[in-house]
Amino acid sequence: MSTDSAPAAQEPDRELDQEPDLVAAPPGLAALFMAFARMSLAGFGGVLVFARHAIVEQHRWMTADEFNETFALCHFLPGPNIVNLSMVFGARLRGLAGGVAAFAGLLLPPTLIMTVLAIIYAHFGDLDVLRRSLGGISCAAVGLLIAVVFRMMTPLFKRIDVVALILMLGVFLAIGVLRLPLQAVLLVAVPVSIGATFFLRRKVAA
């Protein structure tokens, strides 16, 4: 008489993709430098696209919400946004040394490359073929920027954050449609957004 073997215990199905909110261990200084160097070298059309992909999706050093909050802070600081992001991000993970490592990785490789290209452009910049090529590249740059904007909006849609979406739409209409001065819009939008966030979080905690 044959005995049927007992069915093997089945392991629960595991998600193939990790949760985007999981955060990995902070990187070392060398890893910070190399990560931002790769971002800058890949950053055709703007480094923001590749910075978000590397920080949030590839290395998982920040959640999508943390990246949005950090970039929002850098957006209101003087200077280029992505340069501010490298300093703030590096300093947040590894202190002042981390900020310098990320800053150096972001700027050193493209500075060397652009120095060489500037010398070449000085000799061949009048060529019509080169001008048409740069025009095509600008279209791709706009497409990359639009793509990353929608990716950064994803956390707002997931939480159905109505207040944040209304504020975002209001700023877009004020600057993009009504052509109001940027400084005036920010003087109103920043206090309103901070106050709304503080009120909502206090209401949730109560």
Side-chain angles (χ1 to χ4, degrees), residues 64-112:
D65 284 325
E66 288 174 341
F67 182 88
N68 287 354
E69 292 168 359
T70 304
F71 183 73
L73 171 64
C74 298
H75 198 76
F76 293 111
L77 295 176
N81 301 330
I82 192 62
V83 175
N84 295 339
L85 178 67
S86 67
M87 284 296 300
V88 173
F89 175 78
R92 179 175 177 177
L93 269 63
R94 290 294 178 182
L96 180 60
V100 173
F103 177 82
L106 180 70
L107 293 185
L108 184 59
T111 299
L112 296 176

Side-chain angles (χ1 to χ4, degrees), residues 114-128 130-131:
M114 287 307 301
T115 300
V116 176
L117 292 179
I119 296 174
I120 297 175
Y121 185 80
H123 291 83
F124 303 102
D126 293 333
L127 294 178
D128 188 56
L130 180 59
R131 291 183 176 179

